[in-house]
């Protein structure tokens, strides 16, 4: 086994608002070496760093919009996010919960602050990760995996180092809770002060981490502060993370789909023709209906 080295550490880009409720730093697809081809199957990463929203008489968020060709994974760290969609599904993503939505052939949905959270105001911290689908699944039926924190597999680290929540894939032989369409590991790592954890993924997998809390040291030398993103080279299998303070790190690693990417806004397909088809289907109402 050889060491997987860090390729680059990104400072958080200037935040922008998605709708009026999500203030995010967009790390993928970034201009600098984090484009969709490089990061595939992770084709978008929006990070809502901790931000206080004052009380509002209407829930802030983003109105009805479509998705096709991929999955959206929403993780709430602080605050609560609600959603509704054209298949009739709805729900609340509470602190520590994960919603894994397979948009696949097409869905309309809206995402906003949960009503009570909105009324009271509070701090929101969340992640939305888009996971690409292999071509053969892009037009399959939409589906949902709503994982409350209690339902997520957990691995307790030795020496009271902390806990690893296995959202998808595997960690130390514990299987993740979400099913995926291609090999992906998605781990929420909670380190206690002085804690350390090690990881091993195939060298060809595209791998990265996002630090949500604390400052961590990777492979004993590279420091990655809170709200920073680190991309690994595809040069080895193993790395470790340690922290002198309590830390939370989202670790992702996935097999490159090695298929062409054609992306436009909320549609991510393989060819330009399929993107045009997505617009046409959307305009014809084939994504269903959802009230604004
Ligand atoms: Mn969406």
């Amino acid at each position: 086994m050889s060491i997987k080295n860090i390729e680059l550490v990104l400072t958080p880009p200037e935040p922008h608002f998605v709708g009026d409720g999500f203030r995010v730093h967009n790390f993928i697809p970034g201009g600098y070496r984090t484009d969709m081809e490089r990061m595939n199957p992770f084709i978008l990463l929006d990070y809502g760093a901790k931000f206080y929203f004052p009380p509002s008489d209407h829930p802030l968020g983003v109105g009805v919009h479509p998705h096709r060709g991929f999955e959206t994974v929403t993780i709430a760290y602080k605050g609560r996010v609600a959603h509704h969609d054209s298949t009739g599904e709805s729900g609340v993503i509470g602190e520590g919960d994960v919603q894994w939505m397979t948009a696949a052939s097409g869905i309309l949905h809206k995402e906003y602050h949960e009503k009570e959270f909105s009324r009271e105001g509070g701090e929101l911290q969340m992640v939305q990760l888009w996971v690409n689908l292999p071509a053969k699944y892009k037009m399959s039926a939409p589906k949902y995996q709503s994982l409350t924190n209690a339902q997520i597999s957990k691995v307790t680290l030795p020496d009271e180092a902390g806990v690893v929540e296995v959202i998808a894939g595997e960690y130390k032989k514990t299987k993740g809770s979400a099913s995926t369409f291609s090999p992906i590991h998605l781990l929420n790592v909670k380190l206690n002060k002085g804690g350390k954890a090690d990881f091993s993924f195939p060298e060809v997998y595209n791998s990265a981490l996002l630090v949500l809390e604390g400052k961590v040291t990777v492979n004993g030398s590279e420091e990655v502060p809170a709200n920073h993103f680190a991309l690994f080279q595809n040069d080895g299998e193993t790395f470790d993370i340690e922290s002198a303070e309590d830390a939370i790190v989202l670790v992702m690693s996935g097999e490159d789909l090695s298929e062409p990417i054609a992306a436009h806004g909320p549609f991510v397909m393989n060819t330009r023709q399929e993107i045009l088809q997505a617009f046409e289907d959307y305009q014809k109402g084939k994504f269903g209906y959802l009230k604004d």
Side-chain angles (χ1 to χ4, degrees):
M1 290 283 188
S2 60
I3 300 290
K4 195 183 275 298
N5 291 296
I6 283 186
E7 179 171 325
L8 67 130
V9 175
L10 292 177
T11 56
E14 277 299 303
H16 70 273
F17 269 85
V18 177
D20 60 9
F22 302 101
R23 178 187 176 272
V24 300
H25 302 278
N26 175 253
F27 285 106
I28 306 171
Y32 189 68
R33 291 199 285 181
T34 59
D35 62 24
M36 289 187 179
E37 281 76 11
R38 171 67 181 90
M39 299 308 301
N40 202 8
F42 307 111
I43 49 175
L44 179 141
L45 175 62
D46 271 348
Y47 170 49
K50 272 182 269 180
F51 186 76
Y52 176 78
F53 286 89
S56 168
D57 55 5
H58 69 283
L60 304 173
V62 54
V64 178
H65 61 279
H67 291 296
R68 172 181 278 182
F70 56 93
E71 306 181 281
T72 65
V73 180
T74 307
I75 309 170
Y77 288 89
K78 285 186 184 298
R80 295 187 298 277
V81 179
H83 67 96
H84 271 89
D85 76 65
S86 52
T87 71
E89 295 268 2
S90 66
V92 173
I93 308 159
E95 289 187 5
D97 299 347
V98 177
Q99 182 213 50
W100 196 296
M101 183 185 88
T102 307
S105 63
I107 207 163
L108 299 179
H109 75 161
K110 49 186 179 180
E111 302 157 273
Y112 45 90
H113 298 184
E114 185 268 333
K115 218 191 251 174
E116 202 55 35
F117 171 68
S118 206
R119 191 158 31 224
E120 289 169 5
E123 212 167 34
L124 185 66
Q125 185 185 27
M126 50 81 68
V127 163
Q128 189 166 89
L129 178 68
W130 290 9
V131 176
N132 203 1
L133 283 170
K136 65 177 174 183
Y137 296 116
K138 281 187 181 290
M139 292 302 284
S140 60
K143 76 166 193 179
Y144 273 100
Q145 301 175 78
S146 294
L147 307 170
T148 62
N149 191 265
Q151 291 169 321
I152 297 172
S153 311
K154 293 174 185 74
V155 176
T156 303
L157 297 168
D159 306 323
E160 294 179 10
V163 64
V164 174
E165 298 176 347
V166 192
I167 299 170
E170 199 177 305
Y171 183 73
K172 306 282 184 193
K173 297 193 162 54
T174 293
K175 300 268 184 224
S177 305
S179 68
T180 64
F181 290 84
S182 67
I184 284 165
H185 303 282
L186 187 63
L187 311 172
N188 199 39
V189 182
K190 295 176 171 170
L191 290 179
N192 295 327
K193 184 178 174 181
K196 186 172 180 175
D198 60 86
F199 303 86
S200 180
F201 305 119
E203 68 176 48
V204 295
Y205 280 26
N206 292 328
S207 306
L209 59 81
L210 172 69
V211 180
L212 291 107
E213 297 283 348
K215 179 168 69 180
V216 304
T217 304
V218 179
N219 293 332
S221 58
E222 295 251 23
E223 283 198 345
V224 187
N227 303 335
H228 284 53
F229 175 90
L231 170 65
F232 288 93
Q233 296 178 34
N234 296 86
D235 67 342
E237 294 89 22
T238 63
F239 63 91
D240 61 54
I241 302 173
E242 58 185 312
S243 183
E245 53 196 306
D246 289 351
I248 301 177
V249 182
L250 181 66
V251 172
M252 65 201 79
S253 182
E255 185 179 54
D256 196 322
L257 297 180
S258 299
E259 292 173 343
I261 296 174
H264 194 103
F267 308 129
V268 182
M269 304 300 287
N270 301 110
T271 67
R272 181 167 159 71
Q273 184 52 41
E274 290 166 344
I275 293 293
L276 296 174
Q277 188 66 50
F279 275 103
E280 190 182 318
D281 290 350
Y282 173 54
Q283 279 156 9
K284 282 183 174 165
K286 289 188 179 174
F287 283 59
Y289 174 75
L290 182 63
K291 192 173 168 288
D292 238 323

mmCIF file of all heavy atoms in Angstrom, residues 65 67 109 111 128, ligand 1:
data_model
loop_
_atom_site.group_PDB
_atom_site.id
_atom_site.type_symbol
_atom_site.label_atom_id
_atom_site.label_comp_id
_atom_site.label_asym_id
_atom_site.label_seq_id
_atom_site.Cartn_x
_atom_site.Cartn_y
_atom_site.Cartn_z
ATOM 1 N N HIS A 65 -37.721 23.344 -9.464
ATOM 2 C CA HIS A 65 -36.718 23.199 -10.528
ATOM 3 C C HIS A 65 -36.516 21.718 -10.842
ATOM 4 O O HIS A 65 -36.778 20.868 -9.996
ATOM 5 C CB HIS A 65 -35.396 23.877 -10.119
ATOM 6 C CG HIS A 65 -34.779 23.303 -8.882
ATOM 7 N ND1 HIS A 65 -35.187 23.647 -7.612
ATOM 8 C CD2 HIS A 65 -33.802 22.375 -8.714
ATOM 9 C CE1 HIS A 65 -34.481 22.966 -6.727
ATOM 10 N NE2 HIS A 65 -33.630 22.184 -7.370
ATOM 11 N N HIS A 67 -34.343 18.165 -12.246
ATOM 12 C CA HIS A 67 -33.030 17.498 -12.307
ATOM 13 C C HIS A 67 -33.182 16.267 -13.191
ATOM 14 O O HIS A 67 -34.235 15.620 -13.164
ATOM 15 C CB HIS A 67 -32.568 17.020 -10.922
ATOM 16 C CG HIS A 67 -32.215 18.119 -9.969
ATOM 17 N ND1 HIS A 67 -31.175 18.988 -10.186
ATOM 18 C CD2 HIS A 67 -32.771 18.491 -8.797
ATOM 19 C CE1 HIS A 67 -31.106 19.843 -9.173
ATOM 20 N NE2 HIS A 67 -32.061 19.575 -8.320
ATOM 21 N N HIS A 109 -38.460 19.440 -8.074
ATOM 22 C CA HIS A 109 -38.592 19.573 -6.626
ATOM 23 C C HIS A 109 -38.293 20.985 -6.175
ATOM 24 O O HIS A 109 -37.872 21.827 -6.953
ATOM 25 C CB HIS A 109 -37.741 18.532 -5.875
ATOM 26 C CG HIS A 109 -36.272 18.802 -5.840
ATOM 27 N ND1 HIS A 109 -35.432 18.200 -4.921
ATOM 28 C CD2 HIS A 109 -35.483 19.609 -6.589
ATOM 29 C CE1 HIS A 109 -34.208 18.620 -5.114
ATOM 30 N NE2 HIS A 109 -34.197 19.459 -6.113
ATOM 31 N N GLU A 111 -36.657 23.028 -2.556
ATOM 32 C CA GLU A 111 -35.900 22.792 -1.327
ATOM 33 C C GLU A 111 -35.877 24.094 -0.529
ATOM 34 O O GLU A 111 -35.611 25.150 -1.107
ATOM 35 C CB GLU A 111 -34.455 22.388 -1.692
ATOM 36 C CG GLU A 111 -34.376 21.146 -2.570
ATOM 37 C CD GLU A 111 -33.079 21.062 -3.378
ATOM 38 O OE1 GLU A 111 -33.032 21.616 -4.488
ATOM 39 O OE2 GLU A 111 -32.131 20.449 -2.885
ATOM 40 N N GLN A 128 -24.573 19.924 -0.306
ATOM 41 C CA GLN A 128 -25.263 19.198 -1.374
ATOM 42 C C GLN A 128 -24.227 18.725 -2.388
ATOM 43 O O GLN A 128 -23.463 19.518 -2.949
ATOM 44 C CB GLN A 128 -26.355 20.002 -2.062
ATOM 45 C CG GLN A 128 -27.139 19.054 -3.010
ATOM 46 C CD GLN A 128 -28.451 19.600 -3.517
ATOM 47 O OE1 GLN A 128 -28.482 20.261 -4.539
ATOM 48 N NE2 GLN A 128 -29.532 19.338 -2.784
HETATM 49 MN MN1 LIG B 1 -32.442 20.624 -6.464
#
